[in-house]
Amino acid sequence: MAATAASSAPPKKIVAPTVSQINAEYVTQLANKYWAPHVKKTLSFDLKVIEDVYTKEIVRSKFAIRKIMLLEFSQYLENYLWMNYSPEVSSKAYLMSICCMVNEKFRENVPAWEEVDLIRGQVQQLISLPMWMALQPNRLEHELKKTPKLRKFWNLIKKNDAKMDEEARMQAYRERRFLSQLIQKFISVLKTIPVSGPISMDKVHYCERFIELMLDLELLDMLKFYTGFEINDQTGNALTENEMTTIHYDRITSLQRAAFAHFPELYDFALSNVAAVDTRDALVKLFGPLSSNVLHQVASYLCLLPPLAEGEDTTHEKEFLLELLVSRHERRISQIQQLNQMPLYPTEKIIWDENIVPTEYYSGEGCLALPKLNLQFLTLHDYLLRNFNLFRLESTYEIRQDIEDSVSRMKPWLSEYGGVVFGGWARMAQPIVSFTVVEVAKPNIGENWPMRVRADVTINLNVRDNIKDEWEGLRKHDVCFLITVRPMQPYGTKFDRRQPFVEQTGLVYVRGCEIQGMLDEKGRVIEEGPEPKPRLKGDCRTYRVFLDPNQYQQDMTNTIQNGAEDVYETFNIIMRRKPKENNFKALLETIRNLMNTDCVVPDWLHDIILGYGDPSSAHYSKMPNQIATLDFNDTFLSIDHLKASFPGYNVKVTVNDPVLHIPPFRITFPIKGGKGTKRKEDGSEENPEDTKTLIVEPHVIPNRGPYPYNQPKRNTIQFTHTQIEAIRAGMQPGLTMVVGPPGTGKTDVAVQIISNLYHNFPEQRTLIVTHSNQALNQLFEKIMALDIDERHLLRLGHGEEELETEKDFSRYGRVNYVLARRLELLREVGRLQESLGVPGDVSYTCETAGHFFLYQVMSRWEEYISKVKVKGGKLPEVTDVSSFFPFHQYFANAPQPVFKGKSYEEDMEIAEGCFRHIKKIFTQLEEFRAFELLRSGLDRSKYLLVKEAKIIAMTCTHAALKRRDLVELGFKYDNILMEESAQILEIETFIPLLLQNPQDGFSRLKRWIMIGDHHQLPPVIKNMAFQKYSNMEQSLFTRFVRVGVPTVDLDAQGRARASLCNLYNWRYKNLGNLPHVQLLPEFRTANAGFLYDFQLINVEDFNGVGESEPNPYFYQNLGEAEYVVAVFMYMCLLGYPADKISILTTYNGQKHLIRDVINQRCGNNPLIGRPNKVTTVDRFQGQQNDYILLSLVRTKAVGHLRDVRRLVVAMSRARLGLYIFARVSLFQNCFELTPAFSQLTARPLHLHIVPTECFPTARQNGERPSHQIHVIKNMPQMANFVYNMYMHMIQSTRHHQQHLLPPPAMIEEPEMTQTEETEVEGEGQDMQEDAEEENTVLEEMMKEGELNVVEVDEHRKMPEHPGRDSDSGDSEPENETEK
């Protein structure tokens, strides 16, 4: 059945109707009368309208997607169907109309409703225990006997049923039998489908949809797999391999007992040993000869079918009865064994198989044979398996794109002599000079594939230096692909991207390999490490690579047994991939390893990860090991700040003197027991007053020494009370989820949690995981500003090169830091030795320094303490503290005087601080002593990771890549903090929980803090089928929110002006503004040269063209691109710094077009320059800039901006100014975008500028400008205006050298329009005179040869680029040149 669906024609792209088509439709005319949101007075509700629309528009068009799209887009569901629904007016047409609209929303990936609990409650009635009433009585008894606990519930259900009245009982019975009746209907439809001959596709689709509903999973193969899944059907516990074997033996032996007792014809079977009869073939051979009635009787003895009455014949076919017995009793193949024998690299057979990896376009219609990720999973094995399969397919899809791109760029053609000749070149692929397999190791015991297979690949790098560096920079574990092409096309044939790729290029084989390293001149692998790599001569480079042993074994078997050619003698291309996108093999290997080991997830997390139980059970308030007293260190700036942070609590300070009420504070919280109220020792219940009382104890951080750098660094941020709640939750054990809308200080909260954990639990280690290196860098820069000793910080992965600091936090960087620090400290020991007059060389090693501390320093300190301590209640003289102090000479370089001489207590604290300073030197040296014993950089870096570092940071990708190495090293950690967790794939979020071996069968993980924002964009999944159908883009963070795990929602933003925040704050629970957004001058000042701080600017067609699509999904809009660049140039001419402006767009094609226009118009012009970034909204998530110019590109259909998460990201990137260029008539009709677009369209849709106002301006935001306001009607007018403005500036400053391209060809003569408020006479005349003057200057410059005029209509053709909706591979610099 799956094959039937899959082999049908590939899905066509559904073309959305254009605005003009929408307006011409009957549906639109109806909408304008009855439910359109922009119509002020609509007609009252009429049921006949719904009936008409259903019969004439939906049924008559055979449920055409285009009609349903129109209806859904017109807000038919929200404004007519849903709001007017009641049981009284319900009808088939009404219900089917609602179903069609809801399905269309799901197809478009738009949320259909919020009432999830209501739906859950309704569905639960259909699928909970009462539905067992549909079981036959003996089977019911059999199941209840197996699980006695369920019998109690069953009796309770029967008791409740007895109390119901007749009508309610019948309704309940109907609901309970709903599923069993549905199954019977399915079987009856299935039976009517003939095995051969013509079939009704409606019936096939019904059966497909039924199985999809039952399983929410793949189709037939998966049905088979999940019926025998390793789980206890009643308790939900996962079953081990041994338990599964026991169940299998029990089933077979019970069948043998039944056969022995009642069926003499089965004696042979009854007396055989299990292994002889439990294969499919053996069972079919034994039971095949029996009649249908006998088979039915056997099945009824096993409670699988109701018993036959005397003399009655079975109604079931023999084939069905035989399959029922065989499938239940045959031996199952271990899923893990199959998985372990599977090659991890995709081959050409899988990569181009549309049934396995669907095309990029998935319409949302029809079933696919793919696993799904939803809210719940059966067991951790099920969870990992679904993720394994999906991740494998998604990465295969990306590999297909990369191979097609690189190989077609190389243009393989058939040479005159029958060989291959390459007519082009590719950055990511090279022709292979030679390939040899150099090692095939023996298999491990019990396996039939080699332990490892290695080969050498030689290529000739006669390419540009930067590309040569990239090839030479291939690291260990990087994955490459070996490709064989045998083209049949003669030299010079053009490649057509729309034709099938494999036939055109003659691609025959694809095999994956993993780099071990490049070989040096002596043929040895160049090892990675801190040492510089040797420079090799010439252009030939050889790489040693690992091949996949499973694949190699399969290929060799095929060659030997079937005489097939040896694949490994044919390769002629090697392709590499971008490192960021190339982690699939390591990740699949990691998931496979996890499935082979006992996954130990902390008990308090296990059920939540699978989606069961109480979703709030891991919240700190329900954890049994909640901590009563916590030191908040420098979190609070004052006692008032503390009181404001805990509204609703009484704050009791332990000291009365207000002078001492200064941070740091320790807070003791009232703790409820896991359940109910707290009881006192004597058993009496506690006063409810006490449950709202905080006991606050100010404490003084002990003096750390007399030097200025000894003073601890302090937090300076005044956290809000929700931020404090997030920090408090993060310090307590359990799961903490923080939802951080844009600009709410997520990173500051994260850093404060890390700092507080570091100080409260010095023996614990915290792992930081983020999605991107950029987020890790931001975290690290803020961590360094707090009181954390940098020797405890470590950064793993390859992103540390980008850290904007002098310090290197990578493994080798930290090793070098420790070695340098050791020498520095030993010099200090030498200075101390000299100051004390001790002979000898004690500062030679950490060991000698340790002896010196013990015998020389400690003895002097103890002697000093005995002289100055309080004796017999009498304080010594203040001067004694200073005069007896033994280390005066050593501290001579500290700010003097060291001792103040005011009071004994103060001076003693200073003396102890000095000693703490000295003691810390020796403590650190003791820690560094291992570095004197460990000689290699690798050993030292491992020691750092396992012993020294307390805060270890990495990206989720690095965690997945290196899991095995970390576990083998004995890496340990107690806390995990994840930033950007709503952007991390489900499986990449899960793996960091398991980077350590369990201790005595338990995980030592105590806290898991996830910080993210599920209202912004999810992880990038390029294939639409995996993204929409399999829900692969759902992050674990989003799933937890959907399941109902409690979250702390940060509710005050400090990034953007309040007016800009209103464009997206409707998406969040009550997102307000921090006070400084209203108070700081930068937020109060207007945007110079603009009337408004944000504006939506309508852009009509330019030269009759709106959006265009030069390649599939590569959308461009030249009118918007020119308009955006003209406004950017205008801003720069007014004095705005170019790096404070970013240009964003929603499509890759437009990004390339805008970069193109900038290169032509102003890129190399020093008066204007380039914007900070030109990129897509998706790429810019997590970043911000003062001014954002946004191009929405589309003019025919809204496209993927309908995803509200993308809208939220787009609206929230700007701090001070946002200017959006779009086709307003298209976007204002879209229901999902209404909250933002209703605010945008409330302002004029033509750009209002104030060209005589320079940046920065003194004008307040919202104030009328004293200068002239111009209204710009269209793009050519703006372009012309900027051109004239620029020429005017050149003339006035006499910079004759600069030149500028003339503006795009005008459609109409521009006219400068004043607003209604300002009617200024003679302005047009002045402009004309200016323009004439500038034209004269222009003509002179052209005569002098200083200005080249380029014909703009010849807009440079865009480079061919397989662009996608979601931004792909934008890691190159902004002014990149295309490959």
Side-chain angles (χ1 to χ4, degrees), residues 158-363:
K158 287 207 297 201
K159 204 183 286 178
N160 289 340
D161 286 357
K163 293 177 190 168
M164 287 182 186
D165 61 59
E166 188 60 27
E167 197 181 328
R169 194 179 311 122
M170 294 321 291
Q171 173 65 22
Y173 285 180
R174 271 199 299 277
E175 285 179 352
R176 291 170 195 178
R177 289 209 166 88
F178 168 74
L179 213 54
S180 72
Q181 285 167 351
L182 205 59
I183 292 170
Q184 283 160 0
K185 168 88 189 285
F186 162 72
I187 292 170
S188 64
V189 172
L190 191 61
K191 281 180 176 172
T192 63
I193 299 176
V195 179
S196 58
I199 55 171
S200 156
M201 283 315 289
D202 282 349
K203 289 181 178 179
V204 174
H205 290 154
Y206 172 82
C207 292
E208 279 182 358
R209 284 297 191 204
F210 172 83
I211 292 185
E212 190 192 3
L213 170 72
M214 289 294 106
L215 290 168
D216 198 19
L217 284 165
E218 292 187 36
L219 302 179
L220 245 48
D221 287 346
M222 270 301 185
L223 171 60
K224 210 181 210 170
F225 168 64
Y226 274 99
T227 47
F229 193 75
E230 302 95 334
I231 187 170
N232 181 313
D233 291 339
Q234 273 71 46
T235 62
N237 293 335
L239 299 174
T240 63
E241 203 64 36
N242 288 345
E243 288 169 328
M244 287 303 290
T245 309
T246 309
I247 290 171
H248 169 64
Y249 277 93
D250 288 348
R251 280 184 180 173
I252 282 274
T253 48
S254 69
L255 178 61
Q256 285 180 317
R257 278 198 299 272
F260 186 77
H262 305 284
F263 302 99
E265 58 265 60
L266 287 173
Y267 269 5
D268 284 354
F269 165 71
L271 299 172
S272 300
N273 66 341
V274 172
V277 294
D278 69 348
T279 62
R280 175 168 275 270
D281 290 347
L283 288 165
V284 169
K285 194 172 168 188
L286 286 160
F287 286 87
L290 303 179
S291 71
S292 299
N293 285 349
V294 173
L295 288 173
H296 189 122
Q297 283 168 344
V298 175
S300 69
Y301 271 106
L302 299 170
C303 303
L304 298 175
L305 288 173
L308 285 173
E310 194 70 40
E312 188 191 348
D313 284 339
T314 179
T315 54
H316 298 289
E317 291 170 12
K318 181 174 176 181
E319 198 182 347
F320 167 78
L321 293 165
L322 189 61
E323 183 59 39
L324 178 67
L325 291 171
V326 171
S327 61
R328 185 172 169 83
H329 296 98
E330 67 180 325
R331 186 190 311 158
R332 52 179 280 287
I333 302 162
S334 160
Q335 187 72 26
I336 282 289
Q337 275 177 348
Q338 282 179 315
L339 209 63
N340 290 340
Q341 290 168 15
M342 185 199 281
L344 289 177
Y345 302 107
T347 64
E348 71 288 343
K349 287 189 177 71
I350 294 172
I351 295 176
W352 283 277
D353 185 340
E354 287 287 336
N355 297 334
I356 300 174
V357 185
T359 32
E360 63 232 51
Y361 189 74
Y362 169 64
S363 68

Side-chain angles (χ1 to χ4, degrees), residues 17 34 86 110 155 162 244 283 297 336 354 394 426 468 570 607 649-650 936 945 1064 1116 1200 1260:
Y34 288 97
S86 67
V110 172
N155 293 336
M244 287 303 290
L283 288 165
Q297 283 168 344
I336 282 289
E354 287 287 336
E394 161 68 7
K468 188 174 185 177
T570 65
D607 285 0
Y649 279 92
N650 304 322
S936 79
L945 172 65
Y1064 56 88
Q1116 299 184 330
H1200 65 196
Q1260 293 294 291

